[in-house]
Every structure is written in C-alpha cells, then in structure tokens.
C-alpha cells in the first residue's frame, strides 16, 4: 500500500497500520525514508512561519530557511534515532518484548503520519501568526503525534518486533 494511503489509514487505526508495516519485515531503508520524509514535511511546514518572521523582523529569509533545513534534515534525524533507541532501552528495562526496529519505526511513522497537521500548523503560523489558533493547531498536532506513537509502540510490543 502506498505511504499516502497508510497515512490516511493511520488516522482511523494507527495500531493496525503499524502491525501491517511490521509484518513486511525489518526494512531499515523504509524506516529511514519515513524519517527523512517526515523531517522534510516539518521543514516545509516551517517555511510560512519563517517567511512571516523575516517580513516582520527584517531578518534574512535564506538564513532562516538554511538554519531550519540544517536542523530538520541533519540534526533532527540523529536526535530521533537517539530517541527511538532510548525508548527501546526503556522498554527492555521494563522487560518488554520489542525490537529496536519496532521502537524506531513507531516513532518515525508517527512523525510522518502526523505531518499533514504539521503542515496546517505551518500555514496557521504563517498566515495568522502567534495566537490561540496556532496554539490549538499545535496542540492537535502534538496529540495526534503522541496517539500515533503510543499506538504504534503498543502494536510493536504486541508483535514482539
């Protein structure tokens, strides 16, 4: 199933999608591409906000976008790999039967699957600016991200993968 259909299906049942992804076997290349595309979507979501910031403050837009690109495409993947490894280690300390791949895939897929709401947050930040609307959309993104991550992690625990 294409990733776009899986993203839509995740909004209906994140655990079911994660079980299907884990059923395809441990594919590190697929996990990496989910992570990189998720980070790319977060970077793209930042561009309206950065454009607004550059307009309001007179800062150089290229410098802002370059810093955001560096952060989301080079630093964030490393931090997310570390976070995935940390959740794996914490699960192992709790004597949970989960693989490092399953723990990472749950995190990476949660980022990618929640990216449409992150894009909405970026548009809200760019066109409306800081305020209640931006906070509400940001909270909705965070709640979805956590739901997808926890449900995916639980599915990986159930699969023992």
């Amino acid at each position: 199933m294409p990733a776009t259909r899986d993203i839509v299906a995740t909004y209906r049942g994140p655990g079911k999608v994660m079980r299907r992804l884990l059923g395809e076997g441990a594919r590190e290349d697929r996990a990496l591409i989910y992570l990189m595309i998720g980070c790319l979507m977060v970077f793209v979501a930042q561009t309206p906000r950065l454009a607004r910031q550059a307009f309001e403050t007179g800062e150089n837009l290229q410098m802002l976008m370059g810093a955001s690109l560096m952060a989301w495409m080079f630093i964030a993947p490393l931090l997310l790999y570390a976070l995935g490894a940390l959740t794996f280690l914490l699960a192992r300390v709790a004597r949970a039967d989960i693989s490092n791949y399953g723990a990472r895939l749950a995190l990476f897929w949660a980022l990618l699957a929640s990216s449409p709401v992150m894009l909405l947050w970026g548009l809200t930040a760019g066109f409306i600016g800081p305020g209640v609307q931006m906070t509400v959309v940001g909270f909705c993104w965070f709640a979805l991200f956590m739901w997808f991550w926890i449900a995916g992690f639980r599915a990986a625990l159930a699969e023992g993968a």
Side-chain angles (χ1 to χ4, degrees):
M1 185 181 286
T4 53
R5 287 188 192 160
D6 282 342
I7 289 172
V8 172
T10 301
Y11 284 80
R12 286 177 275 161
K16 182 179 176 184
V17 173
M18 183 55 58
R19 281 187 293 278
R20 195 186 64 67
L21 291 173
L22 289 169
E24 295 175 357
R27 301 255 331 254
E28 195 59 45
D29 59 331
R30 186 170 293 166
L32 179 62
I33 200 70
Y34 290 158
L35 172 65
M36 295 309 292
I37 292 174
C39 287
L40 178 66
M41 291 295 103
V42 175
F43 165 70
V44 169
Q46 300 297 315
T47 56
R49 180 187 62 82
L50 294 174
R52 180 185 186 96
Q53 179 181 342
F55 178 76
E56 289 176 345
T57 63
E59 294 177 75
N60 186 343
L61 178 60
Q62 287 76 23
M63 293 296 288
L64 291 172
M65 288 183 65
S68 182
L69 179 70
M70 177 70 158
W72 282 107
M73 297 306 294
F74 297 102
I75 298 170
L78 297 173
L79 295 176
L80 288 167
Y81 260 98
L83 181 59
L86 179 65
T87 58
F88 165 71
L89 291 174
L90 290 174
R92 294 306 294 214
V93 166
R95 300 199 190 279
D97 185 27
I98 189 169
S99 69
N100 196 356
Y101 174 77
R104 280 181 285 126
L105 186 65
L107 174 63
F108 299 167
W109 181 254
L111 179 66
L112 178 59
S114 64
S115 65
V117 180
M118 177 56 80
L119 292 169
L120 176 63
W121 177 87
L123 290 173
T124 305
F127 289 112
I128 298 174
V132 174
Q133 299 89 347
M134 192 172 116
T135 303
V136 167
V137 174
F139 177 78
C140 289
W141 171 80
F142 182 73
L144 275 173
F145 173 78
M146 292 304 293
W147 175 39
F148 295 164
W149 187 16
I150 292 168
F153 197 82
R154 289 181 66 205
L157 282 172
E159 294 290 315

